Structures are given as C-alpha cells and as structure tokens.
Amino acid sequence: MSRPLVAIVGAPNIGKSTLFNRLVGWRKAIVTNEPGVTRDRNYGEVDDVEVPFRLVDTGGLTPSTAAPFAREIEAQADAAISEAACLLFVVDARAGITAVDREVAAHLRRKGVPVVLVANKVDGPKQDDEVWALHELGLGDPVGVSAEHGRGVDDLLAAIAGVLSSTNWTNEGELDDTEGPEAIRIALVGRPNVGKSSLLNALLRRERS
C-alpha cells in the first residue's frame, strides 16, 4: 500500500538532514557543518508510528540569492513539495526568524500544502520560550525539537499524524528512491565532475539530480 509523503524544507544548515536521519532511524543523509551539502532529494521510510509515511529531505532554500545551485536546489525542493501531503518547515529556533525564513514561508503558503512548523535546536528548557516567537511566520503552532538529541520528536510525529489523518492525500508523484523487495540497486561512482549526475538524469529521462 502506498504511503503519504512528508517533505522536509527550510534554509541551509538548520538541521534538516539531522532531522531526516532521526526520523528514518539511521544516518542516511550526510550531515556536516558546511551548508549546501544536500542538493538532491533523499527519500526514506518512517515506520512504527501511528501513520507510517515516506520522508524526503531537500536542499537548503535560498530565495533571492546567487548561492551556488540555488535554482536547481529550489527546483528539486519544489518537485518534492508537489508530491507531498505534508511539509516540515524547519527553522533554527536559537537564531530566530531570518529573512530567508520569511521568504520560504511565503513560498510555502503559495503552494497550499499543509505545513508543520518545526523549531529545531531546542536542546533544553532554556530554549522553549524561543519557540513561540515563530508564530510570527503565520504557519500555526511551532513544534520545538532537537533533531540532534531527539527531544520533542514524539510531539512532532503526533503533529505529522494529525495532518496526515485529516488530509486526503494521493500518491501521484514520480517514483522515489525506495524500492520493492526484488528491486536491483545500481550505483553510479566516479571522480567529481565527470558527468555522473548528467548520466543519471539521462537514464531516468528527468532532472532527478
């Protein structure tokens, strides 16, 4: 049976991939302190929850900037958003609302997909008060979490289940990275900048990478 898709979106370097790894239960996404490492969509499965779902990590959105690959990353994120039944908009609670956060919030409102606002880096009670300032984004009650330490993840999963249970989702998007039990997995490897991503796109006949 197909599952609803939940997409993680937000600015660069705010813990989206750390949250992705936390929810799927293993280190599937690369996590570093360097922004912009995630560029393509990265899919996983979240089981053992009230409403099992597919999860996709996306690259950091930087609207109105000339950051490297900004347009390509936004196109990949928009592809995930178009498939999603729910969006997790991740914000750094300690940094407060940034100009990029405001632009991303406006972008998501135009998409019309249900949003769960995730206040990340709430590592302890001292950061709890910082969560409520995020109401200014106009996306409902934020859920405070620490993706790194697992704090608040149960509350986040409950919020996701609430959205998915009340949403008439469909699975009409393109195929993702998950596979059936008899699927053959093929890896493209090689030195940097030799055309691996271009070859992948040519084989799939779409801009997947």
Side-chain angles (χ1 to χ4, degrees):
M1 180 178 179
S2 61
R3 295 180 175 187
L5 179 69
V6 175
I8 301 176
V9 296
N13 209 31
I14 54 172
K16 296 188 302 300
S17 294
T18 302
L19 180 61
F20 175 87
N21 289 341
R22 173 69 62 178
L23 293 176
V24 300
W26 62 290
R27 191 181 171 91
K28 188 173 190 289
I30 297 172
V31 177
T32 74
N33 290 325
E34 180 182 351
V37 171
T38 302
R39 294 175 180 175
D40 299 317
R41 285 164 283 158
N42 189 12
Y43 289 85
E45 299 279 337
V46 180
D47 301 300
D48 299 323
V49 293
E50 181 180 347
V51 182
F53 57 90
R54 298 155 58 225
L55 186 67
V56 57
D57 186 23
T58 65
L61 296 174
T62 53
S64 303
T65 71
F69 297 105
R71 291 184 179 179
E72 291 83 355
I73 290 171
E74 183 173 338
Q76 290 290 322
D78 280 344
I81 291 169
S82 69
E83 300 175 38
C86 175
L87 306 177
L88 303 184
F89 176 27
V90 184
V91 176
D92 184 341
R94 292 183 298 190
I97 300 173
T98 67
V100 172
D101 292 333
R102 295 182 192 279
E103 288 191 77
V104 174
H107 183 69
L108 297 183
R109 277 193 290 268
R110 290 193 291 269
K111 296 296 181 180
V113 181
V115 176
V116 175
L117 180 59
V118 183
N120 192 28
K121 303 186 181 180
V122 183
D123 297 333
K126 291 183 179 179
Q127 284 84 43
D128 285 343
D129 290 341
E130 298 170 351
V131 172
W132 303 110
L134 302 180
H135 274 102
E136 184 181 341
L137 289 171
L139 293 171
D141 291 338
V143 180
V145 305
S146 172
E148 183 174 358
H149 303 293
R151 187 172 187 259
V153 169
D154 288 343
D155 292 336
L156 176 58
L157 288 171
I160 295 170
V163 171
L164 297 180
S165 297
S166 61
T167 302
N168 293 323
W169 58 272
T170 58
N171 186 19
E172 298 175 349
E174 60 185 74
L175 296 175
D176 59 30
D177 295 334
T178 60
E179 65 280 329
E182 299 180 359
I184 298 174
R185 303 184 69 181
I186 298 174
L188 299 179
V189 297
R191 292 183 293 105
N193 206 32
V194 294
K196 298 186 298 298
S197 295
S198 296
L199 176 59
L200 175 64
N201 291 338
L203 291 172
L204 295 178
R205 298 181 181 178
R206 54 186 169 90
E207 290 295 319
R208 177 59 182 83
S209 181

